[in-house]
Each structure stands twice: as C-alpha cells, then as structure tokens.
Amino acid sequence: MHGNAKVFILMAGMTGLVMALGWMLGGQGGALIALLLAGGMNFFSWWNSDKMVLRQQGAIELTPQEGGDLYALTAELARRADLPVPRLYLLPTEQPNAFATGRNPENAAVAVTQGLVRSLSRDEIAGVIAHELAHIKHRDTLTMTVTATMAGAIAMMGNMMMFTGGRDERGGGLGAILAMIFAPLAAMMVQMAISRAREFEADATGAQICGQPQALASALAKISQMAGRTLNIPAERNPAAASMFIINPLNGLRMDRLFATHPATEDRIARLMAMTGNRGFAPERPSPIPRSGGRSDGPWRRG
C-alpha cells in the first residue's frame, strides 16, 4: 500500500506539472487545454501501447505449439497468479531480458529474449516470467504507459516555451526559460521514481508467484551481468521503453546510466534473499513448476 500511495503522489505531481506549464502558456484556459491534451495522449497510448512497443522491439508471437515448455510454464504461472494467460512473444536479441505490456490483464503480453531462454535455468526463467506477471497483476503496464505519455507531453510543452515565452504576470521570459529546462527533467525524474518503486513490488510478488525468491535473485544477477556486455539494438533505437524491461537494456553508449530507470540490482537481490532468510544464494531446489512433456533436447524449444 505504501508503494501505491507513493506512485499516486508522484503521478499527481506530474499532472500538476502539466497544468502549470499549460497555465504559463495560456493562463487558466491553457491549463485546462494541457490537461485535456495529456488525457487524449494517455488514452491513445493506453489503447495502442502494447502493439507499438512490441513492433518497435521486433517481437515474434509464439503459439502454444511454438512456445512448447515455455508457453506451458507461462500458463502455469498465470494460473498461480490468478491471471488470464498472456500472449507470449520472443524478442530476437541475444541480450537476456524480458518485459510485460498491455492495457489490462485481459489484453496483456509477456516478451522474453532469445538470450534469456538460452542463458537461464528453468527456475530462473520462471522467476523472470513471474516478475512480469506481477507487473500485469499490479497493472503497472498501464501506470508506466501513463507516466511515459505525460513525461512526453511535459517535454513537448517545455519546448513550446522556447517559442512562446511567457507573460509577465505568469513568470515572464525567465520563468519560461526555467520551465523549458527543468520541467522535462522533473518529469523524467518522476517517471524514473515510479519505475523503481514498481520494480521492487514486482520482485516481491513475482517471488511469491514462482515460490523461489532465490531463483529470481539469481536471474537478476545473471541478466544484469550479461546485459551490459550484449547490445540490444531494438532497445537502443527506442530508449523510451527501457523502463519496461526487468533490467535496463541500454548499455550506456549515450550516458544512459546517468538516469537509471531501475533500482540497483544489488538492492533488489538483497530484498529477495531476505524473503528466504539467507544472505547469499541458496542452493537451487527442485522446481515447483511441473514440467510438461516433450522432447528432452534441452529445457526449452519452440516446437
């Protein structure tokens, strides 16, 4: 509840910032127009966000037959989480990573990379998918879509201040310059704070869904280590979606690390291990996830 209250306060602050910029641009009427504009952008993004981000990342949808054991695992975890089975997608990159998207649990999707399927154990993959299902259960995909859209609206209005300036009674030219510089920065900081809060909550719920906090902790450690060494080209081309992934997919070529969208991996691991009563990684136990039938040519196959 504390985390949800924090997110509500941050989003209220973002809404206030949108209206303040609208007021500087056009007074009381400008504030109302800015709020309506942000609402319209949010509705469009809410309805189309899953399609847009999956297309940007080059995602390939897997049928139950193509997904094989991976699809069966996702379905079993969704049942445990009391969620509809989401659509399952494969991302054609060797960087291990994953994200969830969709406007609600009934229209949700989970996407995992080829690198994740090849590099992690079954229990670790179960932890990652459970984490993404937790985002769906908490409706974080909607929250992050709204905050990303509002951040974009604030950045757009900040740029408009460059051309329109400001009335003397509403801050004048100096106020316009300050708003142009600091409003987009403030919006980005709020967006990052919301993203970090959501990751901690999803880790905790994901650990409960899969039943193995240490497996999720081990997955985070492996993904964090390998993500920095492997270039994720679709993510680099669309950095606005970085906050959706379980670990930041950007490798820092453009100083992305100065504005982290995720909590420190060490902090996330420490919280997960506290759930097990251990300070280090516990030995892997037999997976509580039932294995489906099929060929024994490895834990995963597409068909």
Side-chain angles (χ1 to χ4, degrees):
M1 183 60 69
H2 178 267
N4 290 333
K6 179 181 179 181
V7 169
F8 176 80
I9 292 171
L10 290 171
M11 292 187 68
M14 239 179 177
T15 303
L17 189 53
V18 168
M19 296 185 69
L21 285 173
W23 178 80
M24 292 188 70
L25 286 167
Q28 186 175 0
L32 180 59
I33 291 173
L35 187 61
L36 293 175
L37 175 64
M41 293 174 65
N42 278 327
F43 178 79
F44 177 81
S45 297
W46 169 75
W47 191 261
N48 295 283
S49 61
D50 56 339
K51 303 179 185 67
M52 290 189 296
V53 71
L54 290 167
R55 189 181 305 114
Q56 288 172 352
Q57 300 299 321
I60 302 167
E61 186 169 5
L62 300 178
T63 65
Q65 293 73 31
E66 291 173 325
D69 284 350
L70 183 61
Y71 191 97
L73 175 62
T74 303
E76 170 61 20
L77 290 167
R79 184 192 65 78
R80 290 185 178 201
D82 194 25
L83 289 169
V85 179
R87 288 171 290 139
L88 183 63
Y89 286 82
L90 189 69
L91 304 177
T93 175
E94 289 305 312
Q95 182 191 83
N97 228 315
F99 68 82
T101 185
R103 61 184 181 271
N104 54 38
E106 291 72 32
N107 294 276
V110 171
V112 299
T113 67
Q114 289 179 341
L116 183 129
V117 171
R118 292 174 180 172
S119 304
L120 272 61
S121 71
R122 182 186 183 87
D123 289 348
E124 290 166 343
I125 294 175
V128 170
I129 294 176
H131 170 99
E132 300 307 332
L133 291 174
H135 277 309
I136 295 171
K137 192 176 186 69
H138 296 161
R139 296 182 181 265
D140 292 340
T141 51
L142 174 60
T143 300
M144 294 311 300
T145 296
V146 170
T147 54
T149 303
M150 293 185 73
I154 290 169
M156 180 184 67
M157 287 190 287
N159 290 332
M160 289 174 62
M161 302 292 287
M162 182 188 306
F163 302 102
T164 62
R167 306 291 186 187
D168 290 339
E169 65 272 18
R170 293 196 290 272
L174 179 60
I177 293 173
L178 292 176
M180 179 184 69
I181 295 173
F182 291 108
L185 181 61
M188 183 170 58
M189 296 299 290
V190 170
Q191 183 184 8
M192 290 187 295
I194 292 174
S195 176
R196 290 193 290 266
R198 296 292 82 194
E199 289 304 316
F200 280 129
E201 294 285 342
D203 284 343
T205 303
Q208 294 171 356
I209 293 171
C210 72
Q212 295 193 78
Q214 76 277 12
L216 177 54
S218 178
L220 291 175
K222 287 184 180 180
I223 296 172
S224 179
Q225 183 181 34
M226 290 186 279
R229 302 197 306 257
T230 309
L231 188 65
N232 186 332
I233 294 176
E236 294 288 340
R237 289 174 177 168
N238 302 280
S243 63
M244 299 179 62
F245 285 82
I246 190 170
I247 292 288
N248 187 356
L250 307 178
N251 68 0
L253 291 177
R254 295 182 310 280
M255 301 179 70
D256 298 305
R257 304 243 178 227
L258 290 177
F259 302 98
T261 56
H262 296 68
T265 304
E266 294 79 6
D267 293 341
R268 296 172 68 182
I269 291 173
R271 293 195 183 197
L272 286 166
M273 297 316 300
M275 296 176 66
T276 69
N278 297 314
R279 293 187 177 181
F281 289 121
E284 284 194 6
R285 297 174 297 169
S287 172
I289 309 297
R291 295 178 180 271
S292 62
R295 297 200 310 257
S296 58
D297 54 352
W300 308 109
R301 60 186 179 89
R302 287 190 58 182

